[in-house]
Amino acid sequence: MKIGILGYGNLGRGVEYAVKENPDMELAAVFTRRNPAEVKIQTPNVPVVSADDAKNWKDKIDVMILCGGSATDLPVQTPKFAEMFNVIDSFDTHAKIPEHFSNVDAAAKNSNHVAIISVGWDPGLFSLARAYGNAILPDGKDYTFWGKGVSQGHSDAVRRIKGVKNAKQYTIPIDAALEAVRSGKNPELTTRQKHLRECFVVLAEGADAAEVERQIKTMPNYFADYDTTVNFISEEEFYKNHSGLAHGGFVIRSGSTGENKSHNHIIEFSLKLDSNPEFTTSVLVAYARAAFRLYNEKNFGCKTVLDIPPAYLSAKDGADLRAHLL
Amino acid sequence: MKIGILGYGNLGRGVEYAVKENPDMELAAVFTRRNPAEVKIQTPNVPVVSADDAKNWKDKIDVMILCGGSATDLPVQTPKFAEMFNVIDSFDTHAKIPEHFSNVDAAAKNSNHVAIISVGWDPGLFSLARAYGNAILPDGKDYTFWGKGVSQGHSDAVRRIKGVKNAKQYTIPIDAALEAVRSGKNPELTTRQKHLRECFVVLAEGADAAEVERQIKTMPNYFADYDTTVNFISEEEFYKNHSGLAHGGFVIRSGSTGENKSHNHIIEFSLKLDSNPEFTTSVLVAYARAAFRLYNEKNFGCKTVLDIPPAYLSAKDGADLRAHLL
């Protein structure tokens, strides 16, 4: 399988590492909107090509993995590239998935390609956990917790405050809430009861710390509904201790069965990730294998993780999986 | 969807409860090898029929859920009933799955039916966790822990010892082992380091407690490789405190990615079940829905959970799932 990468940031680099772990795949080319001469990749003898020249690679790439952002890149790129390639994206704006699906489906069906969208861990593996949990325990409740990990959107919101030079925001699930859910009590939890928000802020010269803290803690939608801690630190400490991209979270389905619903069951799926982009791209690469199989079966159009048989992610055949993993 | 149940023990009763949770299903009939007049079920106005008369129900059952045991019932029943119906079983003798698959596949293909075998939680949901984990983190290690819960096989082994009137054996995962795995250290764990075995034994009149304990703790394969505790209790206490069927367990994939493999990731799936048979049958019933969909698509033959797209377990359509669960 020949893999192409579109966009060489954290995700692009992650795909490059992940392809090396899969002996049935090879990286064919990296496509960039920057000047290709200025993009240095890790893999020797793999060309870096202008994204505008992708149309000349139609027969040389089995699956193109799109590594752009959900806000502005993917809504345009995924339908456009699905006209030319089988594609995988990690579109994660939950509310806009139906619209994105419909645009990508039209493009992929029109050109006889396969597109798998919203691949990663949420949406992605967490969606799988929710879907299995709901189907198996129809009488139950879903709980999703995120963290501990960096929220890019919340970090950006803090950085936009006057007087802030740099900032990182960690989303932290509250242990007491997790334990209440695991106990099978099906608690109703407020926003404040589920997650804490912790900020590490480097102030600009002469900034008013108290005023920055007030603005963070009262920011509607982002912080006002949470218990938030704000820590002011030096730029040195910021780069030393807050450059990581760790993340994770928990999906719990709690449901009951039987006479009088007297038996409770907890299905829990959790992730603890040292690198959010490297794990996300490991998922993208596994689904690239599935996309190529669906393409070979002429099962064209747009799909999500919910449509893909688990065995399609594996390089092993059915007999091998039944003998060793089932 | 019209559901049939073959065999009315713990699993059969569990299917009966689970069908009630799913408004798109109804119980059509219960089939038994006992005298039908002596089998009392919960649902009013549903017939109990002799298993020998199942052949007269071919057009009245969409999916037959087979609730027999793996040792002697299912190897015979599943191929036989796959000649007449779409079927689901919970065959759980891991080593014999390839042979069972092949027998059932031939029968189902011959008669244009769908059979999904080895459905439940292990094999079943735990197999899914292993398959996703292996595909996403190819450079990693699998860990499966069972419990805390009752092992039927080990309880039976204790009951066969002379002087034992009744016995229950609990398999208990060792916290220190779980924590070592979760830390990302990828430990090599011996059998003894992963699980404890705890026995509750009611002695027969005049039995030699020390001798019973010695025989349990030194029993090859079952107990000799484990740290085992033996508790002697009264029959009264046995029925009061050890009649439950709770179970559960953990599947953990620990793997690394990136430059120098410096980033570790933990994918953990766990179950905490008040009733093993009721949860198992909730899984069987969800896969019955998938079997009927595959049948309507004329995708005949034998399948396992690894072959089934997650969306096929849900009564909701793709657009609904994408909007609310993805």
Side-chain angles (χ1 to χ4, degrees):
Chain A
M1 271 181 65
K2 293 184 172 58
I3 301 290
I5 293 173
L6 175 65
Y8 195 73
N10 279 335
L11 286 181
R13 260 188 304 277
V15 171
E16 191 180 9
Y17 291 129
V19 165
K20 287 186 190 143
E21 297 299 322
N22 291 280
D24 58 334
M25 301 186 182
E26 62 173 297
L27 182 60
V30 171
F31 298 86
T32 179
R33 289 176 296 182
R34 291 179 273 166
N35 175 356
E38 285 168 15
V39 175
K40 299 285 168 244
I41 68 170
Q42 322 268 327
T43 320
N45 306 319
V46 168
V48 179
V49 181
S50 166
D52 296 332
D53 295 334
K55 56 184 177 299
N56 303 321
W57 285 74
K58 283 187 197 179
D59 301 327
K60 290 173 238 164
I61 302 279
D62 294 317
V63 183
M64 184 74 90
I65 302 184
L66 309 181
C67 297
S70 296
T72 56
D73 298 335
L74 297 175
V76 177
Q77 284 176 351
T78 314
K80 181 178 160 191
F81 280 78
E83 292 276 2
M84 300 184 277
F85 302 97
N86 300 311
V87 299
I88 305 288
D89 83 16
S90 60
F91 185 77
D92 66 358
T93 313
H94 288 261
K96 293 188 177 167
I97 287 174
E99 180 190 343
H100 187 57
F101 181 90
S102 152
N103 294 338
V104 175
D105 194 44
K109 282 188 174 146
N110 185 49
S111 67
N112 287 348
H113 284 108
V114 175
I116 312 182
I117 62 161
S118 301
V119 179
W121 58 274
D122 195 3
L125 302 186
F126 275 20
S127 319
L128 291 174
R130 289 187 285 261
Y132 281 116
N134 275 265
I136 291 162
L137 296 173
D139 184 11
K141 236 167 116 61
D142 284 322
Y143 296 89
T144 302
F145 293 85
W146 295 274
K148 180 183 175 176
V150 175
S151 163
Q152 212 50 59
H154 286 76
S155 300
D156 290 347
V158 174
R159 277 193 292 265
R160 282 193 294 265
I161 293 172
K162 192 169 166 268
V164 172
K165 190 170 179 194
N166 214 336
K168 271 270 164 81
Q169 192 271 176
Y170 297 92
T171 304
I172 305 169
I174 296 176
D175 279 338
L178 270 167
E179 288 314 315
V181 171
R182 288 182 182 134
S183 76
K185 286 178 198 144
N186 287 7
E188 294 289 338
L189 296 168
T190 63
T191 298
R192 193 178 300 273
Q193 286 171 322
K194 287 184 71 187
H195 295 95
L196 295 173
R197 298 200 177 279
E198 187 170 27
C199 305
F200 290 85
V201 175
V202 181
L203 288 173
E205 188 91 18
D208 176 349
E211 173 58 15
V212 167
E213 181 164 346
R214 192 194 64 76
Q215 284 195 39
I216 293 173
K217 289 186 170 177
T218 58
M219 195 185 296
N221 302 319
Y222 285 84
F223 293 99
D225 298 333
Y226 296 85
D227 288 337
T228 301
T229 13
V230 179
N231 306 285
F232 295 103
I233 58 174
S234 69
E235 194 150 28
E236 197 181 359
E237 190 186 338
F238 186 85
Y239 285 107
K240 186 169 161 230
N241 296 332
H242 301 284
S243 297
L245 296 165
H247 217 313
F250 305 80
V251 175
I252 300 174
R253 179 76 178 175
S254 171
S256 55
T257 62
E259 201 174 6
N260 312 318
K261 299 296 174 73
S262 56
H263 293 135
N264 195 269
H265 310 284
I266 302 287
I267 309 175
E268 178 167 342
F269 179 79
S270 70
L271 295 171
K272 201 176 86 187
L273 312 174
D274 277 357
S275 163
N276 184 355
E278 284 178 15
F279 185 79
T280 297
T281 49
S282 297
V283 183
L284 297 179
V285 165
Y287 277 94
R289 185 178 290 119
F292 192 49
R293 289 203 186 165
L294 291 167
Y295 175 75
N296 287 327
E297 293 173 2
K298 303 186 194 304
N299 188 343
F300 305 127
C302 188
K303 321 279 175 189
T304 75
V305 297
L306 303 176
D307 304 309
I308 312 293
Y312 278 39
L313 308 194
S314 174
K316 293 174 180 152
D317 68 13
D320 191 339
L321 291 174
R322 284 190 293 276
H324 300 113
L325 280 184
L326 197 66
Chain B
M1 272 181 63
K2 294 185 171 59
I3 301 290
I5 293 173
L6 175 65
Y8 195 73
N10 279 336
L11 286 181
R13 260 189 304 278
V15 171
E16 191 180 11
Y17 291 129
V19 166
K20 287 186 189 141
E21 298 299 322
N22 291 280
D24 58 334
M25 300 185 183
E26 62 173 297
L27 183 60
V30 171
F31 299 86
T32 178
R33 288 176 297 182
R34 291 179 273 166
N35 175 358
E38 285 168 15
V39 175
K40 299 285 167 242
I41 67 169
Q42 323 268 325
T43 321
N45 306 320
V46 168
V48 179
V49 181
S50 166
D52 296 332
D53 295 334
K55 56 185 177 298
N56 303 320
W57 285 74
K58 282 188 198 179
D59 301 328
K60 291 173 236 165
I61 303 280
D62 294 316
V63 184
M64 184 74 88
I65 302 184
L66 309 182
C67 298
S70 296
T72 55
D73 300 334
L74 298 175
V76 178
Q77 285 177 350
T78 314
K80 181 179 160 190
F81 280 78
E83 292 276 2
M84 301 185 276
F85 301 98
N86 300 311
V87 298
I88 304 289
D89 82 17
S90 60
F91 185 78
D92 67 359
T93 313
H94 288 262
K96 294 188 177 167
I97 287 174
E99 180 190 341
H100 187 57
F101 181 91
S102 153
N103 294 339
V104 176
D105 194 45
K109 283 187 173 146
N110 184 49
S111 66
N112 286 350
H113 284 107
V114 176
I116 312 183
I117 62 161
S118 301
V119 179
W121 57 275
D122 195 3
L125 302 186
F126 275 19
S127 319
L128 291 173
R130 289 186 284 261
Y132 282 115
N134 276 266
I136 291 162
L137 296 173
D139 184 11
K141 237 168 116 59
D142 284 321
Y143 296 88
T144 302
F145 293 86
W146 295 275
K148 182 183 174 179
V150 175
S151 163
Q152 212 50 59
H154 286 76
S155 300
D156 290 346
V158 175
R159 277 193 293 264
R160 282 191 297 265
I161 293 172
K162 190 168 168 268
V164 172
K165 190 170 180 193
N166 215 336
K168 271 272 164 79
Q169 191 271 179
Y170 297 92
T171 304
I172 305 169
I174 296 176
D175 280 337
L178 271 167
E179 288 313 316
V181 171
R182 288 181 182 133
S183 75
K185 285 179 198 143
N186 287 8
E188 293 290 338
L189 296 168
T190 63
T191 298
R192 193 178 300 273
Q193 286 170 320
K194 286 183 72 185
H195 295 96
L196 294 173
R197 298 203 176 276
E198 187 170 27
C199 304
F200 290 85
V201 175
V202 182
L203 288 173
E205 188 92 16
D208 176 347
E211 175 58 15
V212 167
E213 181 164 348
R214 193 195 62 78
Q215 285 194 40
I216 294 173
K217 290 186 170 177
T218 58
M219 195 185 298
N221 302 318
Y222 285 84
F223 294 100
D225 298 334
Y226 297 84
D227 289 337
T228 301
T229 16
V230 179
N231 306 284
F232 295 104
I233 59 174
S234 69
E235 193 150 27
E236 198 179 0
E237 189 186 338
F238 187 85
Y239 285 108
K240 187 170 160 228
N241 297 332
H242 301 283
S243 296
L245 296 165
H247 218 311
F250 305 80
V251 176
I252 301 175
R253 179 76 179 175
S254 172
S256 55
T257 62
E259 202 174 5
N260 313 317
K261 300 297 175 71
S262 56
H263 293 135
N264 195 269
H265 311 284
I266 302 287
I267 308 176
E268 178 167 342
F269 179 78
S270 69
L271 295 171
K272 201 176 84 187
L273 313 174
D274 277 357
S275 164
N276 185 356
E278 285 179 13
F279 185 80
T280 297
T281 50
S282 298
V283 183
L284 296 179
V285 165
Y287 277 94
R289 185 178 289 120
F292 192 48
R293 290 201 185 166
L294 290 166
Y295 175 74
N296 287 326
E297 294 172 0
K298 303 187 193 303
N299 188 343
F300 305 128
C302 187
K303 322 278 174 190
T304 77
V305 297
L306 303 176
D307 303 310
I308 311 293
Y312 278 39
L313 307 194
S314 174
K316 293 174 179 153
D317 68 12
D320 191 337
L321 292 175
R322 284 190 293 276
H324 300 113
L325 280 185
L326 197 65

